[in-house]
Amino acid sequence: MAVTSNNIANAGTPGYSKESVVLSAAAPQSNGTASVGSGVNLIATTRAFNQATSNQLNSSQSSLGQLNGLQGYTSQIDNIVGTTAGGISTALQDFYSAWSAVANTPTSAATRQALIGKAQSVADSFSRISSQLNGLNTDINTRITADVQQINSIGASISKLNQQIVVSTAQAGGSPPNTLLDQRDKLVSDLSSLIGVSTTTDTNGALNVFVGNGQPLVLQGTTTTLTTVGNSFNSAQLEISSSTAAGNVISSYITSGDLGGLLAARTQAIQPVQNQLGQIAIAFSQAVNSQQNAGLDLSGQFGANLFSVGGPTATASSKNTDNTSVAVSIANVGALTANDYVLSYKAGAYSLTRSSDGSTVALSGAGTAASPLTADGLSIVVSATPAAGDQFLIQPTAQAAGSFAAVLTDPSKIAAAGAVQTSAANGNVGNATISSGTVVNAANPNLLNTTSIQFISPTAYSVNGAGSFAYTAGANISLNGWQASISGTPAAGDTFTVKSNAGGTGDNRNALASANQQTQGILANGTISINGAISSLITGIGSEAQQVNTAQAAQSAVNTQAQKNVQSVSGVNLDEEAASLLQWQQSYQAAAQALKIGSSLFQSLLTAVQAA
Amino acid sequence: MRVTQSLNQAQFLAALTQIESNLSQTQNQISSNLAFTTPSQNPVAAGSVNNYDQALAQSQQYDANANSAQTRLGTEDSALAQVQTELQTLRDLALQANNGSVSSEGHTAIAAQATQIQNSLLSLANTQDGNGEYIFGGFSTTNQPFALTPSGASYAGDQGQRQAQIAAGQTIADGDNGNVVFNQIKTGNGTFSASAAAGNTGTGVLGASAVQNPAAYDGGTYAVNFTAANTYEVRDSANVLVTSGTYISGQSIAFRGVQVTLSGQPATGDSFTVAPSTNQSLFTTVQNLVTALQTGTGTSATQAKLNNSLGNAINNIDQALSQTSNVRATIGARLNTITTQQSVSSSQQIQLKASISSLQSLDYASAITALDLQNTTLSASMQAYTLTQGLTLFKFL
């Protein structure tokens, strides 16, 4: 009855296993003719416990812990980036609309000022999202530190319990100290929701706990603590290390539990979004700036950059043995990807691997300034031959979104006008006309030179008074970085002029081209528009969050089932206890009755003797 | 299987949380009228909605561009309509002055009126739109394009023509530069122009001229010289004799596919030139007209000179009128294109809105049904919990 009462009292205690008494009939006593039982002996109090179901629950809890940790971040990203109001989409749409407004009234200071404002808000939304993602990274660091502390303190408690269990098992002559075992199992269960563990039990009852790929956390009565160390490429990014092998990062082996979830959130949820966002920022900024540079502003100068964006970064590993540095630049925006890479130098050769999946990327070039290493749109120059085993982390786009800024503040410096203008002389007799002219290479130093095209006959023309070129109606004439076409029938002596469009402040060709970039393919070798990239980013984030949500829901169900299994073995069912209480009550009553009858028999005997 | 009270309770709480979270999501959907509030609820639709949103905003932007172009073209059209009226008045004045009965005072009065018209034309050519941009300046819209000079007007604009994006891949010119409208006006009949030499002493006055046979006209310059009062010869620019004949007043002289009509009595040595049409500014035409009127008449020769000048002016005004009509016709065509595009884009926008709505808008019937169901589930599970919690053996002890 004491055991049953204890069961009832602990019905709600987490980790408590139902206990039951083991009884056995006492050895019979023989009276010469027959053996008569001599009652009952209490052998032991055992706890209902099944190691297999308990292990199942622990591993299910590790998986659930991982998904819970991950889900916390995927759903935050889902909310931050996913909702269009807080997103870049709206800002970009406004930006392109502002370009259209400038195209409609190129000389209006108001529309130009509005464009500057919209450019600012595009930059703000990029950097806001980026800093929110960075905030998540900081949050992960804090939680990793907290998790590691908790894991270490649980490890210490387990090793203390180990010592107590070994001692009390020896004292009790082998009978198990149920309460201590329950407490220890509860701690292991708590631990497994923080980090995936595997356990072994020694013959003396002590439990050994291992994490990661076999790093010991608890061995008998000693604890090996986990520590956090800065990533070799980025000291601000915390990694997990075991104190047995100081400096040995075991993060990649920790794939389950809350800690596993945090590490996964960093590499699966935050970094890819940060990189993709950066990729979009770089492509967008380059497209806008190069269009700006190809046109003329209100004062007839080439347009200044509208945005500035951080370029690729290369970080040497803290384990590198020399001071070789690596400079990375973007050779081709269209070929740029959202991956991070690790450049390694081994056995006299460079190799480049993608961080996300470890696959090797083909490299060409020698790594010198004259012949840089090139891969995936990047151009890599190494300062000197590195020491063998040196590694460099190359992040082409990770820093871009965070450093994205609108740098143009003077509305008059917006290049709405095309760089060149064309004209036909009023004295022309033929009916030929010249197209308005487009810039094909804004870098040509002679772009703004005045060029006169004079027809020496209806079928041939000279350029600036020299040469004779065959005339084809409608064909493009290219010179000095511009391109224009003459069509119709010219007469000898007809003259056309191509010159700088300085003063053409009402021109909107460059503004139109900028507005039209909205639908142009810019990323992935010119196949994906900026908005397309954002749409796929949104879909990607949504899918990731959805996938984690689904997995989390499924794992919850698995976990519930595992809990049920454990409870079905170890849990306290109050009805059952009530029944066994009744059973004990009845035995007690029966025994009392037996005693009473015995007593009354004895009384009868005494009465008979007295009466006799 | 043994079921324990503590697990039962924990599971009930978990289920309750789940139901309440679903309930809150449905409630959120209903109050926001959105089928999904974060992309994870429907990743593909979220991406598509983003694309559709962009297409819709872009289409609305195209509408705004079209409206802006419409306004600008409207301003240009009404300016050109006034130019036509002024030119028509000017033509009437020139015809009136061409009448021999008008006195020299009359000519001075007409010249004054023509000067007035020149000023009106100048201000029309310097028309500004609502944004203060000169609509006839080409790309140079902030500088006044036309200014009067002694021989007509100078043009400070360029030959640029601004385009407006009214649909994806479709741009439309939202104006015409002043050079095309006012400067590139062909003289004479558009193909060639006939003029009297300044030193003519007779009273020969040029009448109608035309191209009879376009294939035969080679675009050359020809001189009709009077070797005697009734004999003319036609020589080309190399002074080679083309044809000669006897002059009869009012009859046409034809050569190389063209014909000119002369009337009056040319003197020996008088010369008339037939040259290909060149571009002449409208303002030069008006200025020439004013100068001719102010020169005055005294002799029959000066009267003939005036008549020739007026005839030229009338021809050139006719060319200007036809040029203005042509430009107005293209404006009309552009305005038509804009109207067509506007109706296309409005149906496009309806389509896009429908697509967005079908992806994003909430199906109220199913949402409310879901809400109802979740509500029922919630109260049922609460009831079930209280019922089962009452079931314990201890009650019977």
Side-chain angles (χ1 to χ4, degrees):
Chain A
M1 274 174 79
V3 170
T4 307
S5 303
N6 190 38
N7 278 345
I8 293 171
N10 282 302
T13 309
Y16 178 80
S17 300
K18 180 175 106 84
E19 293 179 356
S20 53
V21 287
V22 179
L23 300 175
S24 105
Q29 287 175 345
S30 170
N31 60 2
T33 53
S35 293
V36 176
S38 61
V40 63
N41 281 341
L42 175 68
I43 303 293
T45 314
T46 58
R47 60 186 190 129
F49 182 74
N50 182 330
Q51 191 64 49
T53 52
S54 173
N55 284 349
Q56 217 170 32
L57 176 62
N58 285 348
S59 93
S60 137
Q61 243 161 0
S62 292
S63 303
L64 186 63
Q66 194 252 353
L67 289 166
N68 281 340
L70 184 56
Q71 191 197 23
Y73 293 95
T74 52
S75 62
Q76 279 191 61
I77 295 173
D78 190 24
N79 279 319
I80 293 172
V81 186
T83 47
T84 29
I88 308 165
S89 254
T90 323
L92 276 174
Q93 182 59 57
D94 288 352
F95 174 73
Y96 286 117
S97 292
W99 263 121
S100 274
V102 170
N104 288 339
T105 51
T107 55
S108 156
T111 56
R112 284 169 174 265
Q113 190 60 55
L115 175 62
I116 297 272
K118 297 302 179 193
Q120 188 62 51
S121 71
V122 170
D124 286 349
S125 56
F126 267 107
S127 55
R128 184 175 59 240
I129 293 175
S130 175
S131 74
Q132 278 168 331
L133 292 173
N134 284 339
L136 294 184
N137 265 332
T138 314
D139 186 44
I140 284 182
N141 276 345
T142 317
R143 281 185 57 184
I144 285 178
T145 312
D147 275 4
V148 165
Q149 274 171 2
Q150 210 180 341
I151 288 167
N152 286 338
S153 101
I154 293 178
S157 305
I158 291 178
S159 64
K160 199 172 280 172
L161 278 171
N162 267 346
Q163 292 166 355
Q164 291 173 353
I165 287 168
V166 170
V167 170
S168 61
T169 310
Q171 278 173 353
S175 89
N178 289 337
T179 314
L180 296 178
L181 289 175
D182 280 347
Q183 279 179 14
R184 194 175 66 185
D185 288 333
K186 171 73 170 62
L187 286 177
V188 172
S189 167
D190 288 349
L191 188 62
S192 58
S193 62
L194 292 174
I195 187 169
V197 295
S198 57
T199 58
T200 58
T201 315
D202 285 350
T203 43
N204 64 359
L207 187 75
N208 301 320
V209 182
F210 303 94
V211 297
N213 64 337
Q215 275 72 30
L217 182 66
V218 178
L219 280 178
Q220 296 274 357
T222 57
T223 315
T224 312
T225 51
L226 294 182
T227 53
T228 55
V229 293
N231 185 289
S232 61
F233 294 116
N234 175 7
S235 56
Q237 179 179 322
L238 293 182
E239 302 287 350
I240 317 296
S241 171
S242 168
S243 60
T244 47
N248 229 357
V249 172
I250 57 167
S251 297
S252 58
Y253 303 113
I254 299 173
T255 52
S256 58
D258 187 54
L259 201 53
L262 295 175
L263 294 168
R266 201 157 62 187
T267 54
Q268 287 172 26
I270 300 175
Q271 277 168 4
V273 175
Q274 187 77 279
N275 284 0
Q276 283 179 46
L277 209 57
Q279 188 190 9
I280 295 171
I282 288 177
F284 172 68
S285 137
Q286 217 234 8
V288 172
N289 285 347
S290 63
Q291 192 65 56
Q292 266 288 104
N293 300 152
L296 298 184
D297 64 17
L298 279 183
S299 54
Q301 305 293 315
F302 281 110
N305 281 352
L306 198 47
F307 294 110
S308 78
V309 69
T313 57
T315 326
S317 167
S318 56
K319 292 176 186 160
N320 286 2
T321 50
D322 58 2
N323 289 325
T324 314
S325 64
V326 165
V328 188
S329 57
I330 296 171
N332 175 8
V333 170
L336 207 61
T337 72
N339 285 307
D340 286 350
Y341 305 88
V342 173
L343 179 72
S344 317
Y345 186 75
K346 258 181 225 157
Y350 293 102
S351 67
L352 192 67
T353 51
R354 276 193 197 100
S355 296
S356 55
D357 55 5
S359 62
T360 309
V361 183
L363 270 176
S364 63
T368 59
S371 164
L373 295 165
T374 54
D376 283 4
L378 295 171
S379 163
I380 306 166
V381 176
V382 186
S383 67
T385 307
D390 275 7
Q391 288 196 319
F392 305 90
L393 176 71
I394 293 170
Q395 294 181 300
T397 61
Q399 311 294 326
S403 60
F404 191 66
V407 288
L408 194 65
T409 49
D410 182 354
S412 72
K413 291 214 155 51
I414 289 171
V420 293
Q421 60 167 275
T422 60
S423 57
N426 277 345
N428 285 1
V429 178
N431 67 6
T433 55
I434 186 165
S435 71
S436 67
T438 52
V439 174
V440 284
N441 176 18
N444 193 307
N446 300 324
L447 181 61
L448 300 185
N449 289 1
T450 303
T451 304
S452 143
I453 299 170
Q454 189 166 28
F455 279 83
I456 41 188
S457 76
T459 55
Y461 61 89
S462 68
V463 173
N464 290 331
S468 170
F469 305 90
Y471 166 68
T472 312
N476 276 325
I477 298 171
S478 300
L479 190 79
N480 291 347
W482 52 257
Q483 176 177 294
S485 66
I486 297 175
S487 48
T489 314
D494 283 4
T495 306
F496 298 90
T497 309
V498 181
K499 60 171 187 170
S500 159
N501 192 24
T505 50
D507 182 16
N508 65 357
R509 281 173 294 162
N510 214 48
L512 279 183
S514 295
N516 278 335
Q517 283 184 340
Q518 186 174 14
T519 47
Q520 261 167 25
I522 289 168
L523 289 90
N525 291 320
T527 53
I528 298 176
S529 70
I530 297 291
N531 194 61
I534 290 175
S535 293
S536 68
L537 180 67
I538 291 176
T539 305
I541 288 169
S543 304
E544 169 85 14
Q546 189 188 38
Q547 191 193 331
V548 173
N549 288 347
T550 313
Q552 196 267 351
Q555 192 57 44
S556 288
V558 171
N559 199 50
T560 309
Q561 190 55 46
Q563 268 174 346
K564 269 186 190 167
N565 290 345
V566 168
Q567 285 280 305
S568 136
V569 176
S570 307
V572 178
N573 181 314
L574 289 176
D575 290 345
E576 193 183 354
E577 299 307 321
S580 75
L581 208 55
L582 276 178
Q583 188 196 344
W584 298 126
Q585 190 187 10
Q586 282 166 3
S587 316
Y588 189 86
Q589 282 171 346
Q593 201 66 39
L595 203 62
K596 192 177 166 191
I597 291 173
S599 156
S600 108
L601 285 178
F602 192 62
Q603 201 66 47
S604 306
L605 186 63
L606 281 181
T607 317
V609 170
Q610 279 170 355
Chain B
M1 180 164 177
R2 286 171 62 242
V3 174
T4 65
Q5 276 74 15
S6 66
L7 180 68
N8 224 351
Q9 193 168 11
Q11 277 180 353
F12 167 73
L13 280 176
L16 202 65
T17 316
Q18 185 59 46
I19 295 169
E20 280 175 346
S21 134
N22 290 347
L23 200 63
S24 127
Q25 192 183 322
T26 313
Q27 197 183 5
N28 199 4
Q29 284 176 343
I30 290 173
S31 56
S32 66
N33 184 23
L34 292 173
F36 52 88
T37 46
T38 61
S40 62
Q41 290 165 19
N42 193 345
V44 176
S48 306
V49 166
N50 191 50
N51 284 339
Y52 289 143
D53 272 342
Q54 179 196 243
L56 181 62
Q58 209 166 25
S59 174
Q60 283 162 345
Q61 183 60 48
Y62 290 148
D63 277 359
N65 297 351
N67 284 339
S68 158
Q70 213 169 19
T71 314
R72 219 160 177 269
L73 287 172
T75 311
E76 186 189 356
D77 192 50
S78 62
L80 290 182
Q82 283 186 56
V83 167
Q84 279 181 324
T85 316
E86 298 289 348
L87 285 177
Q88 202 60 54
T89 315
L90 191 66
R91 190 178 192 278
D92 292 346
L93 286 173
L95 279 176
Q96 191 188 332
N98 213 6
N99 187 334
S101 63
V102 175
S103 65
S104 96
E105 288 76 23
H107 284 153
T108 314
I110 291 171
Q113 284 189 59
T115 309
Q116 283 291 328
I117 289 174
Q118 189 178 32
N119 285 332
S120 316
L121 287 173
L122 183 76
S123 86
L124 286 170
N126 287 332
T127 301
Q128 286 169 282
D129 67 10
N131 298 308
E133 291 191 296
Y134 292 98
I135 60 172
F136 293 116
F139 289 152
S140 177
T141 57
T142 42
N143 301 321
Q144 181 176 313
F146 288 94
L148 286 182
T149 62
S151 64
S154 63
Y155 179 60
D158 54 40
Q159 296 183 19
Q161 189 175 32
R162 192 197 291 175
Q163 306 284 319
Q165 191 89 33
I166 57 162
Q170 190 183 4
T171 58
I172 202 158
D174 71 355
D176 299 273
N177 66 66
N179 200 51
V180 165
V181 180
F182 298 105
N183 286 351
Q184 293 188 339
I185 297 170
K186 297 283 184 197
T187 52
N189 59 21
T191 308
F192 67 90
S193 89
S195 57
N200 284 0
T201 50
T203 60
V205 175
L206 284 160
S209 65
V211 179
Q212 266 185 323
N213 179 3
Y217 179 60
D218 61 358
T221 303
Y222 298 91
V224 179
N225 301 325
F226 281 85
T227 50
N230 61 351
T231 314
Y232 66 88
E233 58 178 26
V234 177
R235 288 180 182 273
D236 66 11
S237 52
N239 208 26
V240 175
L241 185 66
V242 176
T243 181
S244 60
T246 306
Y247 168 72
I248 301 163
S249 173
Q251 271 196 3
S252 61
I253 300 169
F255 56 92
R256 295 278 165 93
V258 302
Q259 66 170 36
V260 292
T261 313
L262 269 177
S263 55
Q265 185 49 64
T268 306
D270 280 4
S271 173
F272 298 87
T273 310
V274 169
S277 292
T278 56
N279 288 327
Q280 181 175 310
S281 163
L282 172 60
F283 296 100
T284 307
T285 299
V286 182
Q287 188 57 49
N288 288 348
L289 173 66
V290 171
T291 311
L293 286 170
Q294 284 169 344
T295 308
T297 55
T299 64
S300 55
T302 51
Q303 178 66 41
K305 196 178 272 182
L306 175 64
N307 288 345
N308 275 325
S309 297
L310 289 174
N312 259 339
I314 291 168
N315 277 339
N316 292 345
I317 291 169
D318 284 344
Q319 288 297 324
L321 276 169
S322 99
Q323 172 75 350
T324 316
S325 299
N326 287 344
V327 174
R328 286 193 69 192
T330 64
I331 294 174
R334 285 180 234 162
L335 286 169
N336 271 343
T337 312
I338 290 177
T339 316
T340 313
Q341 187 50 46
Q342 276 170 335
S343 75
V344 170
S345 93
S346 84
S347 64
Q348 221 171 25
Q349 285 172 21
I350 292 171
Q351 189 55 48
L352 281 167
K353 281 177 187 160
S355 301
I356 292 173
S357 162
S358 76
L359 285 172
Q360 199 178 34
S361 291
L362 188 66
D363 175 2
Y364 268 103
S366 68
I368 287 169
T369 314
L371 187 72
D372 198 40
L373 184 66
Q374 283 160 354
N375 215 357
T376 314
T377 318
L378 185 64
S379 54
S381 59
M382 283 175 168
Q383 215 157 17
Y385 180 67
T386 40
L387 265 179
T388 51
Q389 282 306 292
L391 289 177
T392 164
L393 253 179
F394 283 103
K395 272 196 168 174
F396 302 99
L397 290 181

